[in-house]
Amino acid sequence: MLNIKTISVGVLEVSCYLVWEPESGEGLVIDPGDDAAAVIEAIRADGVKPAAVFLTHAHVDHIRGVPGIVNHFNIPVILHAGDHGLYHSPNNALLPWIPAAEKLPEPGEMPAFSHLPAPRIIHTPGHTQGGVCLYFPTENILFTGDTLFAGSIGRTDFPGGDAEQLIQSIHIQLLTLPDSTIVYPGHGLSTTIGDEKAANPFI
């Protein structure tokens, strides 16, 4: 069973996740939106050996901690090609609260894992065009970023958002997963696919 730690980062309280295989420590950092020093301290405290930073999408509140972590551990950052333009855009900011991220490393490729179970990257455009979810089928866990929340879904009123596309992504790609799948969203509490199918008013 994988270990999972949630670290709330930034003014919008993004859920940054550490997920790792407990014996080897091999793992991933998911959506380090800010507070790189706090994330690095948590990585050290739990003995995690991060192989990569994984981004569910490129909105500024999910990426500001990337440079500090990538440079500290000398690891790649993984991002869907559909969000590369957004990732580097100087307009990718929520002023005056969150300025654009600076000195972002170029996205790379997902490394091969020796101990971490192989995840599946699920493209779920709609919140952004390069939005993805990260699914560990052997563990029955799903990291959804801002695609799906407990009782809600991602906003689509930002540039690149598409409400119809997001709903389609959720129905085709996510609601077809087992009902028992545990969902770890980019903000807020965890849930399950079954609970969202039964009670989420947006889907």
Side-chain angles (χ1 to χ4, degrees):
M1 179 176 289
L2 295 179
N3 286 343
I4 300 169
K5 171 173 269 190
T6 308
I7 308 164
S8 182
V9 298
V11 297
L12 296 184
E13 299 182 335
V14 169
S15 293
C16 169
Y17 295 102
L18 307 181
V19 52
W20 72 99
E21 194 281 319
E23 292 190 12
S24 66
E26 184 178 47
L28 291 169
V29 182
I30 300 173
D31 287 352
D34 213 332
D35 305 331
V39 176
I40 290 169
E41 179 56 33
I43 290 169
R44 286 176 168 165
D46 287 308
V48 182
K49 298 174 183 175
V53 166
F54 184 88
L55 300 177
T56 60
H57 65 292
H59 278 151
V60 66
D61 59 321
H62 285 249
I63 68 172
R64 282 183 54 81
V66 168
I69 295 167
V70 164
N71 293 334
H72 185 87
F73 293 103
N74 191 28
I75 55 177
V77 56
I78 313 305
L79 176 68
H80 190 278
D83 268 11
H84 285 192
L86 175 63
Y87 177 76
H88 287 299
S89 172
N91 297 319
N92 185 21
L94 292 171
L95 299 175
W97 306 281
I98 309 177
E102 297 180 350
K103 299 180 179 178
L104 290 167
E106 286 296 323
E109 306 231 345
M110 185 74 92
F113 299 112
S114 300
H115 303 280
L116 192 72
R120 181 175 135 212
I121 299 173
I122 304 173
H123 187 207
T124 52
H127 180 63
T128 67
Q129 288 306 296
V132 300
C133 298
L134 191 67
Y135 179 48
F136 288 87
T138 62
E139 306 294 316
N140 207 30
I141 57 176
L142 177 72
F143 297 92
T144 57
D146 288 2
T147 294
L148 179 66
F149 302 116
S152 189
I153 62 174
R155 291 176 60 170
T156 57
D157 56 335
F158 295 121
D162 185 315
E164 183 177 347
Q165 188 181 42
L166 180 62
I167 292 295
Q168 184 178 49
S169 291
I170 292 170
H171 275 274
I172 294 174
Q173 302 287 12
L174 303 186
L175 299 188
T176 52
L177 298 175
D179 284 356
S180 59
T181 302
I182 301 172
V183 174
Y184 293 94
H187 303 265
L189 299 175
S190 61
T191 181
T192 67
I193 289 294
D195 285 347
E196 297 315 300
K197 285 167 71 173
N200 190 313
F202 295 92
I203 56 176

